[in-house]
Amino acid sequence: MSNWQWQEGEYTVTRSCAWSPPGEHPIGWGLLFYSKNGVLHHVEGDPNQPITQGRVSIKFLELPEYCHNQERIIHPMKRDPKDRGNAAAWQRISWEEAWDIIVEKTRYMQKKYGPESIMTLIGTGRDLWHTVPKITFSAFESCNFEYTHNGWSCYGPRASICAYILGAGYPEVDFASEFPEKRYDDPRYVLPETVLVAGKAPLESNPDGLFGHALVDMMKRGCKLIVVDCRATWLATRAKYFIQVRPGTDTALYLAMCNVIINEDLYDHDFVENWVYGFDEFKERVQEYPPEVVAPIIGVSAEKITEVARFFANAKPASMTWGLATDEKTNGLQCAHTILIMCAITGNLDIPGGVLLGAGGAAASQWWGWEELPDETKAKRIGAAEFPAVCTTMSTCQPDRAMDTILTDDPYPVKMIFCMSANPIACPTANPRLWDKGFHRCEYNIFADLYMNPSIASFGDLILPVAALSEKDGIVSTHYGGLTLFVGAIVKACQVGECKSDDEIMLELGKRLNPSKFPWADLHEFLTWELHGYGIEGTWEDLRDSEFGLVTPEHEFEKYAYGGQTWNGEPGFGTETGLVEAYCDRWKRWGDDPLPYYEEPPYSPISTPQLFKEYPFILTTGARSWSYFHSEQRQIPRLREFDPWPETEMNPVDAARLGLEEGDWIYVFNMFGRCRQKLHITPIIKEGVVHSKHAWWYPEKGPDDTGHGPYGVWDANINQLVPHGVFGKLGFGSPFKEMICNVEKAEGGPDFEPGWPK
Ligand SMILES: Nc1nc2c(c(=O)[nH]1)N[C@H]1C(S)=C(S)[C@@H](COP(=O)(O)OP(=O)(O)OC[C@H]3O[C@@H](n4cnc5c(=O)[nH]c(N)nc54)[C@H](O)[C@@H]3O)O[C@H]1N2
Ligand SMILES: Nc1nc2c(c(=O)[nH]1)N[C@H]1C(S)=C(S)[C@@H](COP(=O)(O)OP(=O)(O)OC[C@H]3O[C@@H](n4cnc5c(=O)[nH]c(N)nc54)[C@H](O)[C@@H]3O)O[C@H]1N2
Ligand SMILES: [Mo]
């Protein structure tokens, strides 16, 4: 019997650590796959796994259904581009034919339009965030790799800000991952006195690198939470302080908290004197934001803001975990900047129980193959010259500009798309109808996915079938090397159809297009090479065979004090000034204010009062559901039962005023578009605010031969209310969580039942 696979009665048990697919973030899920005759039968949490300790997301309990679902794509398929939209036109082909087509199309595009005419697309952080850039730069030899979410509004802003103002990798709560044996009970572990949960719902989302339930473990041991949210989440109702903000105003709150902390002399003088650049200017700036001025903006009393600021500053240590509500804002960069400075001046950076910092800046794996591109190709990356803040730490294009280029051929044509793990018109894009138009302009669109979705049905020409996480060997690690809390082995239990993992697709495609750039003999050799990049010795097989199937490097604290935070080994931070930058000269050079400031959302009662008369609700979108990862899993019956329809939440006071009732079908609409969702009346949401679920489409509705908006995606997708091309000055942050809208009763709901037609 090995550590990683054994027999239990009729079942073969395979121990694995999860990432994607189905989508999840890399938080260390430990899973046991029970399979029989090559079929995954059921999944359990691995009780011995140190991070999740047997607990498991319901999405993994339904993994057998996800893997063996009748709608799963299990063979490569092609369709003539002139038949786009026609579901009957798909033809099963062999992998050999699929590779031949891609090679032929690539050579044609490279010759006719130049390699930059090939663009690759990716979605959220899955274990292919090294795969797609490598395919882009080394296989297609293009410079255009794109994350399809407008304003690059997720994770990238937070990670980049850390790189620019701290010279550090992503900040994370210390949840004792480095003590796998005893975790929080290890005598070396320091429990934070408080954790600020800023615009994040980690129990539902398990986001970034944080197993959400770790916060509950910490609360049980006495840690008190401060939750900042517009909705009273489970954590908010159990927090010491819940600050219920108007969506989009968070930056003002943190500036006011810094005002109190500085004016009441609650800050860490030693840290500020030694390690902070521009404190005096920052001090002057926060004078513009006393709690009394900020209170009416955010909708919370000045007394409460003051009390929370004092509590945070006096907590020893205090920690912080920030979420997506920091990024999906035009003023989000300033929000993240202020939060980091607040943690810095209270002396909580990289101390035990405080805010852990990664040693490096941004992830190196995103850049694999970039250096070898010719300079003239590198210079063509879309949006890089206009938005250096987006394109210095990250190897992608600025998303809105990428679509503008596809739509206009300006400055050059983009004619082929290779999309690995995004469902553009159902989930990540603002104004999805505009993006739909763009993709239809491309000559050839290739998708690597597990299921048919509205985007592939509309404008896909070739599909490569992808292996689920129980069908592949791989690696899971936190923050792409920016802050490594653990590294685990993903282990294959079954094979479904002809599916291949994203890494296998990369290696096979790379060997055909540009073999010298893909020197690995096989997948395992590649995975071992990847591990070495995280500083882990030995082979991938060693990791799989190890006691937990996971390694947890010890965290080095206060690296800035001894030189572990800089590239040259000098004490200090890896920034331009060598210090934590409260004043960031880079922002100034790149066209923004060097100090944080509050700016109203682009559409709000204050910035657009006329429009607000017509659309008198603040709209936030996309707080995570337990049962779905973005646009996935609508085909999985038991998950669909939890959340059968797209739901919009409204406060009872607002609903009563409009004469609406629980379960009514409503239109949510504004000056950009509308969609239809089902009303849920709930006191958890702040009065005057509406929250709509994102990423909705109806697999059961079937395709639509028009080739535009199949599967009811134009009926249900809330992103039709969010504009393309609106983002912060430096290129980050579209207003997905800070729009305005109105609501009216619809004639009725969809004329079909949720789930597959009987
Ligand atoms: N209104 C609103 N919109 C939002 C958000 C919001 O909060 N509000 N959130 C945004 C955020 S933060 C993000 S990151 C984006 C996410 O956007 P995306 O990542 O594009 O998410 P999906 O639309 O689910 O697309 C994922 C597609 O990839 C496939 N897939 C899943 N896992 C894998 C895999 O490992 N390999 C491959 N090859 N395919 C896979 C799925 O089947 C699905 O078709 O959405 C954004 N959209
Ligand atoms: N189950 C599931 N898990 C997921 C995903 C999924 O689709 N499903 N998606 C993954 C991805 S890509 C990401 S980026 C993460 C995101 O996960 P999180 O970072 O947790 O973000 P969200 O769930 O979008 O929103 C968190 C909270 O922000 C609140 N909120 C909305 N607007 C505002 C505002 O203006 N200010 C404040 N302070 N709060 C606001 C919402 O009410 C919600 O409770 O989740 C990941 N995990
Ligand atoms: Mo995301």
Side-chain angles (χ1 to χ4, degrees), residues 24-25 59 124-125 147 154-155 158 198-202 204-208 228-231 233 245-250 254 322-325 328-329 620-630 691 694 737-738:
E24 276 293 328
H25 278 178
K59 294 190 240 69
T124 181
Y147 168 57
C154 170
Y155 187 85
R158 280 170 282 159
K200 183 165 187 156
E204 290 89 332
S205 61
N206 292 296
D208 314 317
V228 181
D229 202 298
C230 52
R231 294 162 60 247
T233 59
V245 291
R246 157 159 71 97
T249 63
D250 302 64
Y254 300 114
W322 52 6
L324 181 61
E328 289 186 327
K329 310 285 176 59
T620 182
T621 64
R624 281 17 181 177
S625 309
W626 301 98
S627 41
Y628 300 130
F629 197 85
H630 295 295
H691 164 239
H694 81 301
K737 293 202 198 293
E738 53 170 14

Side-chain angles (χ1 to χ4, degrees), residues 23-44:
E24 276 293 328
H25 278 178
I27 56 97
W29 292 115
L31 302 182
L32 299 176
F33 299 135
Y34 285 75
S35 57
K36 194 173 121 181
N37 304 329
V39 174
L40 183 65
H41 184 269
H42 63 282
V43 175
E44 288 184 13

Side-chain angles (χ1 to χ4, degrees), residues 358-526:
S365 58
Q366 251 195 51
W367 295 89
W368 289 346
W370 172 264
E371 274 313 314
E372 295 140 40
L373 284 176
D375 287 344
E376 84 230 48
T377 306
K378 282 186 191 151
K380 290 181 177 162
R381 179 156 52 122
I382 298 166
E386 193 184 355
F387 300 110
V390 176
C391 300
T392 299
T393 51
M394 298 189 294
S395 63
T396 62
C397 304
Q398 201 282 345
D400 301 71
R401 289 294 179 266
M403 183 36 74
D404 295 344
T405 301
I406 293 176
L407 283 162
T408 58
D409 295 347
D410 181 17
Y412 52 77
V414 170
K415 289 294 170 195
M416 180 162 113
I417 298 289
F418 178 91
C419 177
M420 199 169 219
S421 90
N423 182 359
I425 63 166
C427 178
T429 66
N431 194 346
R433 289 176 195 246
L434 182 81
W435 284 67
D436 178 68
K437 213 162 138 189
F439 292 127
H440 274 278
R441 289 193 91 233
C442 294
E443 289 179 22
Y444 206 70
N445 296 323
I446 304 164
F447 284 80
D449 210 305
L450 298 90
Y451 280 92
M452 182 56 68
N453 66 34
S455 308
I456 307 176
S458 288
F459 41 75
D461 306 316
L462 183 72
I463 307 178
L464 308 178
V466 172
L469 76 94
S470 48
E471 301 156 15
K472 67 175 181 185
D473 290 337
I475 290 173
V476 47
S477 74
T478 51
H479 305 299
Y480 317 96
L483 170 61
T484 302
L485 300 169
F486 58 80
V487 179
I490 301 171
V491 187
K492 178 169 178 166
C494 304
Q495 171 72 39
V496 170
E498 294 184 275
C499 298
K500 292 180 193 285
S501 75
D502 296 298
D503 279 342
E504 286 172 318
I505 291 173
M506 169 188 75
L507 293 173
E508 292 194 35
L509 184 60
K511 280 181 189 301
R512 281 170 172 83
L513 282 170
N514 209 357
S516 68
K517 303 282 163 58
F518 295 84
W520 305 280
D522 57 24
L523 176 67
H524 285 185
E525 196 179 301
F526 167 75

Side-chain angles (χ1 to χ4, degrees), residues 120-126 128-133 145-149 396 418-422 428:
T120 58
L121 307 187
I122 198 169
T124 181
R126 302 180 171 99
L128 53 147
W129 258 87
H130 55 265
T131 310
V132 183
F145 159 49
E146 196 219 335
Y147 168 57
T148 41
H149 192 28
T396 62
F418 178 91
C419 177
M420 199 169 219
S421 90

Side-chain angles (χ1 to χ4, degrees), residues 648-687:
T648 288
E649 295 172 334
M650 184 180 257
N651 187 281
V653 175
D654 295 320
R657 201 161 37 79
L658 297 186
L660 294 172
E661 288 177 19
E662 176 70 14
D664 278 349
W665 280 93
I666 53 168
Y667 289 116
V668 187
F669 61 100
N670 67 13
M671 52 287 180
F672 298 111
R674 75 166 191 184
C675 72
R676 183 171 56 168
Q677 299 208 345
K678 202 169 196 219
L679 183 67
H680 177 43
I681 302 175
T682 167
I684 77 160
I685 188 152
K686 195 175 174 81
E687 232 180 287

